[in-house]
Amino acid sequence: MKFRLDYDPRRNRILIDIRDFWTVETVHAFAAAAGAKAQEVRGLRGDYDVLIDSRDFPVQANDVADLLPSIAEAGLTLTSGRAASVVGSHLNKLQAERTQTHPRMRIFMTMEEAEAWLAEHGR
């Protein structure tokens, strides 16, 4: 399993777990699954947050890394909420911050920091 998507209705949050090395084909499969999950949750509430656990997602090849921001951009157009991603290393953080520039998305080194940031802007 290279990715998993769940919805936590109590927190109104899509939980995403991504891991391992990806190919362009994996990115396309993830984009389709993430889009479907976002549309499903948007049907319930349009203000959901997203928490991405990417601590087991190593630095990716440039062709993969360069495709990921468009998925985040598309997903964030479907919600007024925020997205937090938790990475496993400083190098991952640098790559994520280079590619993920949406103003409602932040990159964190710990789950606690991400949870606190989402909670302070919670609804």
Side-chain angles (χ1 to χ4, degrees):
M1 171 205 74
K2 297 204 181 247
F3 60 86
R4 191 180 81 235
L5 300 107
D6 293 305
Y7 176 62
D8 178 349
R10 186 178 61 78
R11 291 183 173 167
N12 189 32
R13 188 177 293 169
I14 294 177
L15 305 169
I16 300 174
D17 181 23
I18 58 176
R19 57 185 57 242
D20 302 327
F21 287 104
W22 285 16
T23 63
V24 170
E25 292 76 22
T26 307
V27 175
H28 293 306
F30 174 73
K37 180 59 78 177
Q39 289 289 354
E40 172 191 327
V41 174
R42 184 178 188 211
L44 303 171
R45 289 187 60 178
D47 64 345
Y48 61 86
D49 289 326
V50 179
L51 179 58
I52 305 162
D53 184 349
S54 59
R55 292 175 291 183
D56 293 321
F57 190 65
V59 171
Q60 301 292 309
N62 286 336
D63 60 342
V64 168
D66 291 343
L67 292 172
L68 296 175
S70 62
I71 300 169
E73 290 282 335
L76 284 165
T77 64
L78 299 174
T79 181
S80 60
R82 296 171 175 263
S85 181
V86 181
V87 297
S89 74
H90 287 286
L91 189 56
N92 287 96
K93 189 171 193 292
L94 290 171
Q95 184 179 54
E97 288 175 339
R98 176 183 66 81
T99 60
Q100 301 286 355
T101 59
H102 194 282
R104 287 186 284 123
M105 181 167 192
R106 297 280 187 282
I107 312 301
F108 298 93
M109 291 292 300
T110 69
M111 195 60 76
E112 293 77 17
E113 291 171 316
E115 292 275 3
W117 182 73
L118 290 173
E120 77 184 34
H121 299 98
R123 283 157 277 293

